Amino acid sequence: MSQELQIYQARLDISPIEVDRLWRFLSEDERSRANQFKRAHLKRNFVAARGNLRELLARWLECEPQEIRFNYSDRGKPYLQNFSPSEAIYFNLAHSQDLALYVLSRHSAVGIDLEYINSNCDVMGIAGRYFLPSEQKIISELGDRQQQQLAFYRLWTLKEAYGKATGQGIANLLDAIDVSLCLERPLGEVLEIAGWSLNLLNTDELAIAPSYAAALCKQANRE
């Protein structure tokens, strides 16, 4: 990763003391959203995910975490509200189970996704309903069920990262973009789609358990 684009990760299963510390950074809107969770671990994960994001952004912007104000696009993509364009930081976060990934960039709109591989997921059924024939073919030709699951989740994270980076969201993209070439190339090799660079992340290099899949998308030719 270049110095202008960095990926970070954080555990969300933090101690009550750490939850209290990060809670102080959150806005009233974020606290209200956190309080809507009925299950304690989901509230904790939300506080951890947003508090860590604020700390990372504050480090890049040289401000206090609680000074940051977010706004949201029509499709829910967050962006910084109270900093000038010259100070702008592009960012995105994803979390699954008790793990979060963050990507920050000074010059490129970005999207990141992280998915825990659910061994009970009906990957062929979902792929048959939402994925393109070329993507379904790749999954179906893998004889091993574990390999099918990995391929499915990798395809999903690629589409999710693209939807988050472009601000379109995944709902209208599942059968609209073909990301199958990413599975036919060496892990991490970039696929260019309509001005965006898309690639799978190497979970080994990130020291993430093999039970996860992750992908990154950013504007092409921008650092």
Side-chain angles (χ1 to χ4, degrees), residues 131-139 155 159 177-180:
F131 284 4
L132 292 168
S134 57
E135 298 162 341
Q136 297 174 38
K137 183 174 183 289
I138 287 178
I139 298 173
L155 289 167
K159 291 171 185 279
I177 59 166
D178 188 344
V179 297
S180 58

Side-chain angles (χ1 to χ4, degrees), residues 7-221:
I7 293 175
Y8 305 88
Q9 62 174 286
R11 296 291 308 179
L12 303 180
D13 50 348
I14 57 177
S15 69
I17 293 176
E18 183 68 357
V19 171
D20 290 343
R21 186 183 73 84
L22 294 177
W23 178 266
R24 295 196 295 270
F25 299 154
L26 304 189
S27 67
E28 288 304 314
D29 173 67
E30 288 170 320
R31 292 177 182 180
S32 175
R33 290 169 62 186
N35 284 329
Q36 291 176 17
F37 290 101
K38 303 301 182 185
R39 297 185 178 181
H41 75 281
L42 295 178
K43 178 178 179 179
R44 176 204 64 198
N45 285 6
F46 179 86
V47 173
R50 298 296 293 219
N52 285 324
L53 173 63
R54 284 178 168 276
E55 285 201 304
L56 289 170
L57 287 169
R59 195 182 309 163
W60 279 48
L61 293 164
E62 298 182 345
C63 68
E64 295 299 320
Q66 57 269 33
E67 294 177 27
I68 294 168
R69 294 202 301 272
F70 296 111
N71 208 338
Y72 300 87
S73 70
D74 292 340
R75 295 183 182 270
K77 183 177 182 179
Y79 61 90
L80 294 173
Q81 181 181 28
N82 58 324
F83 288 88
S84 67
S86 63
E87 299 174 293
I89 300 294
Y90 299 94
F91 64 93
N92 200 233
L93 73 93
H95 55 87
S96 185
Q97 297 288 87
D98 293 329
L99 182 66
L101 285 183
Y102 305 83
V103 58
L104 276 65
S105 171
R106 294 194 183 278
H107 303 300
S108 304
V110 287
I112 197 166
D113 192 48
L114 173 74
E115 299 290 341
Y116 178 78
I117 299 172
N118 179 0
S119 60
N120 296 318
C121 179
D122 177 16
V123 297
M124 289 308 304
I126 298 174
R129 184 175 179 183
Y130 295 112
F131 284 4
L132 292 168
S134 57
E135 298 162 341
Q136 297 174 38
K137 183 174 183 289
I138 287 178
I139 298 173
S140 64
E141 289 181 347
L142 293 169
D144 181 76
R145 179 171 170 77
Q146 286 187 329
Q147 290 301 311
Q148 288 182 332
Q149 291 169 339
L150 177 59
F152 169 83
Y153 278 99
R154 282 179 168 175
L155 289 167
W156 189 279
T157 60
L158 288 162
K159 291 171 185 279
E160 185 80 69
Y162 182 89
K164 293 170 75 174
T166 62
Q168 299 177 63
I170 194 173
N172 299 316
L173 292 174
L174 284 170
D175 61 355
I177 59 166
D178 188 344
V179 297
S180 58
L181 285 177
C182 277
L183 298 192
E184 298 173 346
R185 298 178 177 182
L187 189 63
E189 187 169 310
V190 170
L191 174 67
E192 301 284 347
I193 299 180
W196 296 87
S197 297
L198 188 61
N199 64 278
L200 290 164
L201 295 174
N202 189 322
T203 53
D204 287 341
E205 291 181 358
L206 293 173
I208 294 175
S211 53
Y212 287 93
L216 172 70
C217 183
K218 71 181 187 69
Q219 285 176 287
N221 301 318

